[in-house]
Amino acid sequence: DFLARGEVQPYVSREIEALPAWSRPAPGLYTISASPAIIMYNRLLVKTPPESIRDIAAMAKADPQGMKGKISTYDAAANPFGLAMFATWLEGTGNTWATLEAIGPLTRPETGGGVQREKATTGEYKVAFFANSVSLIGLERPEVKKLVGWSYVKDGAPISLQGAVVTKAAKSPHSARIVLDLMLSREGQRALAMTGLTPYRDDVAQEGLPYNTLKTAREQIGEKNLIYYSYDRAKLAAWPEVAKRWKTVFKP
């Protein structure tokens, strides 16, 4: 909507040649971080760590009583970020509502990833899925790491795109362009990575970074299992139906 109102300067960054096409979906709109969704699990309560939504569905089918109320995810009816996660995952090959229907009745949705992480740590939840990989800041703390493990979603990891633009209303547009170029540069991407954001430039080396780059995630689960958020209005038009169906599956 912001783009459609003409609020964005169509600035051509000096870094544009180093950026993949998907990271610049419209003139002047750039991605500064691309964060893959993850699955969290309590190490003490889960014997076989799940690595996909299908794995979680299999756990639910194998032990419905033991998993009832022990699974969490974002509330897609109340949280646009959560809705984006589900809608994007459903774009993946072979990803269907049938898989989610095995999980939904046993799930307690939350409105934030921090709550999911804390309750997975205490054991209130055995599994939480579609958390943002920014959560790794908390998960990699030694006292948490011994209790909670994690995996990328290997049957389709939704990639949330953190966007940035220079606005037409900017009071200091020159300064804004400098800051945007810095965030998009290789050095800027490494700096953002130190804060838990996911750098996506292929020339950003993993060595020396505390959290994974997108290239590392790609190497672990394969390019075909990375599903990027979209600004395509045709896809967004289907989201209300996704939310409606989600309510019947997760809030019957």
Side-chain angles (χ1 to χ4, degrees):
D1 289 343
F2 196 72
L3 286 163
R5 292 200 304 269
E7 300 283 359
V8 175
Q9 285 191 22
Y11 172 59
V12 179
S13 171
R14 68 185 185 190
E15 302 292 335
I16 195 167
E17 295 301 323
L19 308 177
W22 58 258
S23 73
R24 37 190 176 88
L29 172 59
Y30 296 92
T31 297
I32 61 169
S33 171
S35 302
I38 63 172
I39 296 168
M40 300 182 285
Y41 59 90
N42 184 288
R43 295 182 186 273
L44 303 180
L45 301 176
V46 176
K47 294 181 180 179
T48 304
E51 297 184 335
S52 66
I53 306 305
R54 292 184 182 88
D55 285 349
I56 298 173
M59 293 171 66
K61 291 176 181 177
D63 184 16
Q65 285 303 116
M67 296 300 294
K68 187 173 179 59
K70 294 296 184 179
I71 306 172
S72 189
T73 189
Y74 277 96
D75 186 332
N79 187 301
F81 181 82
L83 177 57
M85 282 284 183
F86 281 90
T88 303
W89 181 81
L90 286 164
E91 293 176 15
T93 302
N95 294 347
T96 67
W97 282 106
T99 300
L100 298 174
E101 285 167 355
I103 301 169
L106 309 181
T107 300
R108 288 169 55 194
E110 299 282 1
T111 56
V115 177
Q116 295 173 41
R117 183 183 68 249
E118 293 302 319
K119 291 185 177 181
T121 303
T122 63
E124 186 170 343
Y125 293 139
K126 293 182 179 180
V127 175
F129 65 97
F130 287 161
N132 192 298
S133 53
V134 172
S135 298
L136 295 179
I137 297 174
L139 293 177
E140 290 297 316
R141 296 202 310 264
E143 67 275 18
V144 176
K145 193 171 183 177
K146 65 183 180 182
L147 296 172
V148 180
W150 67 276
S151 169
Y152 291 120
V153 185
K154 293 186 177 180
D155 55 0
I159 311 293
S160 60
L161 308 181
Q162 287 71 53
V165 303
V166 177
T167 69
K168 284 190 175 179
K171 293 183 179 180
S172 302
H174 184 63
S175 296
R177 290 192 287 269
I178 291 172
V179 172
L180 180 60
D181 283 344
L182 174 60
M183 291 191 293
L184 296 174
S185 71
R186 182 167 55 187
E187 296 78 8
Q189 288 279 287
R190 288 189 66 84
L192 289 171
M194 301 302 288
T195 72
L197 295 177
T198 304
Y200 62 88
R201 285 180 54 145
D202 280 346
D203 58 358
V204 176
Q206 181 64 60
E207 184 180 2
L209 297 180
Y211 313 106
N212 285 351
T213 66
L214 187 64
K215 183 178 180 180
T216 298
R218 183 188 303 120
E219 290 169 350
Q220 291 184 7
I221 68 173
E223 178 68 44
K224 67 182 179 64
N225 291 315
L226 302 180
I227 313 175
Y228 300 92
Y229 275 25
S230 174
Y231 288 85
D232 185 335
R233 284 193 179 274
K235 290 184 178 180
L236 296 177
W239 284 19
E241 283 302 312
V242 173
K244 184 178 179 181
R245 180 75 178 270
W246 187 92
K247 289 180 183 179
T248 67
V249 173
F250 286 84
K251 289 188 174 182

